Amino acid sequence: MSNSPWLSLSDAIATMLSQTQPVSVSEKADVKAAVGRVLAIPVVASINVPPCNNSAMDGYALKSSDGKAGNTLEVVGAVFAGDSQSPTVLPGQCVRIMTGAPIPTDCDAVIIQENVSREDDTITLQTDTAPLANIRETGSDIARGDQLFDAGHRLTATDTMLLSSLGLASVDVYRQLTIGLLATGDELVEAGNPLATGQIYESNRTGVAALLQNWQVHINNFGIVADEPETLKQVLQEAQQTCDVIISSGGVSVGDADFVKPVLDELGEIGFWKVAIKPGKPFAFGRLGNAVFCGLPGNPVSACVTTEQLVVPVIRHLQGETGLGNGHRLTLKAQITRDIKRRAGRLDFQRAVFSQNADGTLIVTPLAKQSSGVMTSFSKANCYMLIPAEADGLNTGDWVEIQPFSIAGKLG
Ligand code: AMP
Ligand code: MG
């Protein structure tokens, strides 16, 4: 793999996707646990939903030919959700019906209970009732034979609900990926242990693993690896036996690469890239045996940005998800609330806070501390604010792209 001097983010993603093959092995997954999994074969509806005409409201089922305001009808029975018998309903008659109950075969409309006055066993209609009023028709949500999802579709929570409504207990999804995580650095200490002079707590594996939790992967943690070629070699050789993707952090910048690079060169085919994004310029990508290797920069903020912007697209591709293109992240436009001066050259992912004005306009304010070692800015932020590579600054009121961290997460 080539060591090109500078790569744009989109070229980097395109290169990675073109050099990696999605998994082909599929398995059955319980629909209840299938959220986030990628379908291996399309889902075609084998039944109609709803399976029969049923009432959308509590009220009275009648013949629409009787549905004139002022008509008085005799109530001859009641149908509840789950009933299988269909009462006979003659002209001038109706039946009490509950939401979800099957429409009697003699009826073709439902009048809601609020629109009738009831006295003993009769009702008087206060409104006209048209054919099919308040009826959920057979197959109106899903018709038998409809192709609901293509292969390569990642299931959402509501998709799994829809699959359950079809009576499916399991679906065919691509197998889960195993991701190996390791952190390199002599200075790194596992949380829970005392810190000696010169040491820092290791945090990248925690952040990266948490970011990957959204993507239904299996994480295999290989711990902290000393800055020592033989140890690194051993760990990588072990990881490549069992992992689809190996993600390491640290040691890919120019100084550190001295010891990581020869090891990786010996074991596999790795390119050391300078991706034109900030933070997160040094990034290693390639192959160790059958595993895909991603080498993140060590700075925690850079490690998170490269995970989200570079590694996640590769993982999604490997998982068999289709239609990714380069637009794998939701991007919105917001107006910046202050001026920014900076040096042009790299696509900047600033940590920022966005919110919505009373008139609905999105506004965004980048946090003051943008150093790639400052984790607190990430915690204060609720989005990335993107500054295009060519821009040497932004003026208050300029429209910029933002990527919310999470729809469900805190809003500014
Ligand atoms: P490196 O990429 O190895 O040169 O590391 C860059 C900076 O990130 C250094 O200050 C490291 O101490 C720090 N660093 C590297 N790996 C980690 C990690 N796993 N957790 C926290 N900080 C790290
Ligand atoms: Mg290091």
Side-chain angles (χ1 to χ4, degrees):
M1 292 187 196
S2 68
N3 294 328
S4 52
W6 282 98
L7 263 178
S8 71
L9 177 63
S10 54
D11 284 350
I13 293 173
T15 304
M16 291 189 291
L17 300 197
S18 71
Q19 292 177 357
T20 48
Q21 268 297 328
V23 295
S24 54
V25 175
S26 65
E27 62 192 22
K28 293 269 182 210
D30 185 332
V31 167
K32 290 186 183 67
V35 64
R37 301 294 297 271
V38 177
L39 288 174
I41 55 176
V43 174
V44 176
S46 59
I47 59 165
N48 289 312
V49 178
C52 71
N53 284 358
N54 71 84
S55 182
M57 302 293 277
D58 293 328
Y60 295 86
L62 45 79
K63 296 177 185 295
S64 59
S65 51
D66 284 338
K68 266 248 138 307
N71 276 1
T72 296
L73 306 176
E74 183 193 359
V75 183
V76 294
V79 276
F80 292 83
D83 281 356
S84 55
Q85 301 288 334
S86 183
T88 303
V89 182
L90 301 172
Q93 295 182 332
C94 67
V95 288
R96 178 88 173 103
I97 193 162
M98 314 304 157
T99 304
I103 305 294
T105 40
D106 295 335
C107 299
D108 67 344
V110 169
I111 185 165
I112 62 173
Q113 61 194 36
E114 291 81 357
N115 288 345
V116 305
S117 52
R118 178 153 182 172
E119 207 169 312
D120 301 327
D121 280 345
T122 63
I123 57 166
T124 302
L125 313 187
Q126 292 164 351
T127 57
D128 289 348
T129 306
L132 297 178
N134 300 306
I135 290 181
R136 298 192 285 224
E137 285 183 85
T138 304
S140 55
D141 185 2
I142 303 165
R144 186 188 296 133
D146 278 356
Q147 178 158 326
L148 297 171
F149 302 112
D150 296 335
H153 173 78
R154 187 183 297 275
L155 294 168
T156 64
T158 49
D159 292 341
T160 63
M161 187 169 75
L162 194 144
L163 294 174
S164 291
S165 79
L166 291 172
L168 293 174
S170 64
V171 272
D172 293 281
V173 294
Y174 288 116
R175 71 168 175 82
Q176 264 181 316
L177 296 181
T178 298
I179 313 281
L181 280 189
L182 57 118
T184 69
D186 281 344
E187 75 280 30
L188 303 176
V189 176
E190 189 88 51
N193 295 293
L195 209 56
T197 309
Q199 295 183 321
I200 60 166
Y201 285 116
E202 198 282 313
S203 59
N204 288 345
R205 283 172 307 145
T206 308
V208 172
L211 288 171
L212 297 184
Q213 260 173 19
N214 293 331
W215 303 103
Q216 274 273 15
V217 294
H218 176 70
I219 302 275
N220 207 343
N221 205 320
F222 289 89
I224 296 169
V225 183
D227 287 330
E228 198 272 307
E230 269 316 302
T231 321
L232 178 68
K233 197 167 152 180
Q234 264 174 24
V235 174
L236 290 175
Q237 275 173 328
E238 189 195 333
Q240 74 181 52
Q241 308 293 321
T242 52
C243 296
D244 299 292
V245 180
I246 300 168
I247 302 174
S248 79
S249 77
V252 286
S253 50
V254 185
D256 283 323
D258 289 343
F259 92 88
V260 175
K261 197 174 183 306
V263 172
L264 291 172
D265 279 343
E266 186 188 330
L267 295 182
E269 264 185 283
I270 311 291
F272 285 79
W273 294 356
K274 285 198 290 181
V275 183
I277 60 171
K278 186 176 180 235
K281 158 186 68 170
F283 181 75
F285 179 78
R287 191 163 282 287
L288 289 179
N290 289 325
V292 171
F293 176 84
C294 296
L296 312 178
N299 274 314
V301 174
S302 312
C304 288
V305 172
T306 46
T307 297
E308 290 199 281
Q309 302 297 333
L310 288 157
V311 179
V312 167
V314 180
I315 287 177
R316 293 175 67 176
H317 174 66
L318 288 169
Q319 287 175 321
E321 188 176 352
T322 50
L324 281 178
N326 265 341
H328 65 286
R329 283 288 299 251
L330 170 69
T331 301
L332 306 172
K333 291 255 185 187
Q335 269 185 308
I336 187 168
T337 59
R338 64 177 178 84
D339 295 350
I340 288 194
K341 286 268 154 283
R342 65 152 214 157
R343 220 176 53 211
R346 292 195 267 159
L347 171 61
D348 199 343
F349 288 86
Q350 295 219 337
R351 277 70 65 214
V353 177
F354 81 100
S355 61
Q356 201 160 25
N357 271 342
D359 68 2
T361 310
L362 295 182
I363 54 169
V364 62
T365 307
L367 289 155
K369 292 182 184 170
Q370 292 291 336
S371 152
S372 60
V374 176
M375 280 305 293
T376 48
S377 296
F378 245 131
S379 290
K380 288 179 183 141
N382 63 5
C383 71
Y384 289 119
M385 186 195 83
L386 279 60
I387 308 180
E390 62 282 2
D392 59 4
L394 293 168
N395 298 316
T396 305
D398 282 354
W399 287 93
V400 285
E401 292 191 331
I402 61 167
Q403 292 179 351
F405 289 162
S406 154
I407 295 293
K410 63 199 155 113
L411 295 177

